[in-house]
Amino acid sequence: MLSEEHILTTIPVGPLGIVALDSCKEMGQKVDAYISAWRRESENEHKHTIAFTGYQKDSYLVDVATPRFGSGEAKCTINQSVRGDDLYLMVDVTNYSLEYTVCGYKNHMSPDDHFQDLKRVIAAVAGKGRRLTVIMPFLYESRQHKRTGRESMDCALALQELTAMGVENIITFDAHDPRVQNAIPLKGFETVQPAYQFVKGLLRSEKNLELDADHLMMISPDEGGMGRAVYLANILGVDMGMFYKRRDYSKIVNGRNPIVAHEFLGSSVEGKDVFIIDDMISSGESMIDVATELKRRKARRVFVAATFGLFTNGLEKFDKAYKEGIIDRVLTTNLTYQTPELLTKEYYVSCDMSKYIALIIDTLNHDASISNLLNPVGRIQRCIEKYRNGEDI
């Protein structure tokens, strides 16, 4: 149903077009379905005027293809007119499930391949679109966001490259370090937090939570993610704690200094449910180490949430941790590729972000403010109130 809060009366920037690359096809279809339904329901008295040409469609997805030659080279073909369209390009640079052939050998697509395909789409538009907005949930090369020593600054370079090609706005989720937007100070850059979706996902999966300072605590697994834990702790009215990583700076293993120990700062977690929140689960070692340490400190239940569940070393460690009672739930979003195996796990909760992205796209297409969408405090409080009243969330 169309929410009363989402009735938009301003004139659209241009006819809406959603370019969902193969890496983001499923998400793009969900987003498209939401917007199509909302616009069919809308009561805008002007939607049949010339200013709203192309406003109501069965689908806003643009027909694009990015085929590859036998040598591994590629191109982009747009199979319909996009002249004057307000285009939203969706790409998941971490989707390694896609393959292509190079001289008979199978290659899995890397973030570099996905980024090149994104640039090919922009090149194929050739300046004919009215406005280009890139929606890249996992920001390309965001883990290489600052220079320490003689290193490349890949993320900043990528942002500058996109804006030089004509991209006006870049929307990402939970950027590893949002200060990277300083590389493009004259262009739009939004890093969106999925805090509401995490709270909703946890409350839907756990029916006997007590949301107060005596029974629940927010945990940041490192100093870099403390802002997320502080934000949710303040909204929920609970305490927070933080771990910091003690590293061995005399060694480098797999490109980083190995973690020697996780040291805890905060009040006692004994007998409390704890909610660990971070931006990503990569190998998962840090999360499981933190959960193990919290269990050693007699925490009751351990819930783990991360915006991006990459699980680069597989799920065996999480299966083992769940079996041993170290973790009770793992929550991640569908902003990155989810393996079929992951979706079958008893402990896993998938937080769907497609409606949120649809709201952002629909609002921006009307050139309206998304400030209320970026601040989920009211929605979280309503969600908690429903939970306490025993209502469906």
Side-chain angles (χ1 to χ4, degrees):
M1 289 294 292
L2 187 69
S3 168
E4 290 183 8
E5 299 172 1
H6 188 62
I7 295 174
L8 301 166
T9 56
T10 53
I11 295 173
V13 171
L16 175 62
I18 300 172
V19 180
L21 277 76
D22 289 342
S23 60
C24 224
K25 190 73 76 181
E26 186 178 342
M27 174 71 81
Q29 290 168 348
K30 289 181 178 180
V31 168
D32 179 53
Y34 274 117
I35 296 176
S36 298
W38 292 336
R39 292 191 173 184
R40 278 196 303 270
E41 294 174 17
S42 74
E43 300 295 333
N44 193 316
E45 60 181 313
H46 303 293
K47 73 177 182 180
H48 299 296
T49 64
I50 192 170
F52 282 70
T53 301
Y55 184 73
Q56 192 172 311
K57 295 181 182 177
D58 291 333
S59 176
Y60 300 91
L61 291 171
V62 177
D63 183 13
V64 300
T66 51
R68 288 184 179 265
F69 303 103
S71 61
E73 297 169 291
K75 67 175 182 179
C76 173
T77 305
I78 297 180
N79 299 312
Q80 66 186 72
S81 173
V82 293
R83 184 178 294 275
D85 286 3
D86 185 22
L87 295 173
Y88 294 81
L89 285 60
M90 299 175 62
V91 59
D92 173 14
V93 299
T94 64
N95 190 341
Y96 61 88
S97 69
L98 301 180
E99 298 176 336
Y100 63 95
T101 304
V102 181
C103 300
Y105 295 95
K106 288 280 188 184
N107 267 7
H108 286 272
M109 288 187 71
S110 70
D112 291 343
D113 292 317
H114 289 300
F115 186 66
Q116 286 301 122
D117 275 356
L118 173 64
K119 291 195 293 181
R120 290 182 180 108
V121 174
I122 297 170
V125 171
K128 301 302 186 292
R130 180 158 305 176
R131 185 176 65 178
L132 291 180
T133 299
V134 167
I135 299 177
M136 187 186 292
F138 186 95
L139 188 60
Y140 174 70
E141 294 292 358
S142 58
R143 298 175 79 172
Q144 183 53 30
H145 60 280
K146 63 182 178 181
R147 175 173 284 160
T148 55
R150 199 174 296 275
E151 295 179 338
S152 58
M153 295 183 67
D154 296 46
C155 188
L157 193 63
L159 294 178
Q160 291 182 347
E161 199 169 359
L162 290 177
T163 55
M165 294 181 75
V167 173
E168 287 293 323
N169 300 297
I170 296 171
I171 296 170
T172 188
F173 285 78
D174 212 348
H176 195 62
D177 187 344
R179 290 175 297 182
V180 76
Q181 67 186 287
N182 293 335
I184 49 168
L186 300 181
K187 299 294 181 179
F189 182 97
E190 298 291 349
T191 176
V192 185
Q193 297 292 333
Y196 167 65
Q197 286 77 11
F198 282 147
V199 172
K200 185 166 70 171
L202 181 63
L203 297 185
R204 280 180 170 175
S205 61
E206 297 292 332
K207 301 302 181 186
N208 58 345
L209 283 172
E210 295 183 75
L211 304 175
D212 57 56
D214 295 326
H215 299 92
L216 182 65
M217 192 167 175
M218 300 301 304
I219 303 292
S220 173
D222 55 37
E223 61 276 18
M226 193 168 66
R228 301 178 191 91
V230 169
Y231 180 77
L232 273 176
N234 286 337
I235 293 175
L236 298 174
V238 300
D239 292 334
M240 67 85 57
M242 184 196 83
F243 283 85
Y244 70 90
K245 298 170 183 174
R246 202 147 47 83
R247 296 181 180 271
D248 182 355
Y249 287 99
S250 65
K251 299 177 186 175
I252 295 179
V253 178
N254 294 329
R256 60 181 182 177
N257 303 106
I259 298 167
V260 176
H262 289 85
E263 305 290 354
F264 183 67
L265 299 173
S267 57
S268 173
V269 299
E270 185 173 350
K272 294 181 180 180
D273 294 330
V274 291
F275 190 59
I276 310 169
I277 186 164
D278 204 1
D279 61 337
M280 74 177 76
I281 294 174
S282 185
S283 66
E285 290 178 8
S286 291
M287 278 290 198
I288 292 174
D289 286 347
V290 166
T292 303
E293 184 63 26
L294 289 166
K295 276 292 186 181
R296 192 180 69 79
R297 293 170 181 270
K298 300 181 180 178
R300 182 172 171 236
R301 288 178 295 183
V302 177
F303 308 115
V304 172
T307 307
F308 308 109
L310 305 180
F311 302 104
T312 55
N313 290 355
L315 299 170
E316 292 79 10
K317 290 179 181 176
F318 285 89
D319 293 342
K320 184 171 181 284
Y322 177 67
K323 189 176 180 180
E324 294 175 353
I326 294 170
I327 58 171
D328 293 86
R329 294 282 180 190
V330 176
L331 299 89
T332 70
T333 69
N334 62 339
L335 292 170
T336 52
Y337 172 66
Q338 298 166 300
T339 63
E341 180 191 6
L342 175 64
L343 295 172
T344 64
K345 296 299 180 183
E346 185 181 358
Y347 55 81
Y348 180 67
V349 178
S350 176
C351 301
D352 186 13
M353 301 296 293
S354 55
K355 186 176 182 180
Y356 197 12
I357 292 175
L359 284 166
I360 291 171
I361 290 176
D362 199 26
T363 305
L364 287 177
N365 180 235
H366 280 263
D367 216 15
S369 171
I370 61 171
S371 297
N372 289 336
L373 294 177
L374 299 181
N375 182 12
V377 174
R379 281 173 287 153
I380 292 174
Q381 289 174 342
R382 286 194 295 272
C383 188
I384 291 170
E385 187 178 348
K386 284 183 178 181
Y387 183 79
R388 286 174 171 157
N389 293 334
E391 301 174 32
D392 289 336
I393 300 171

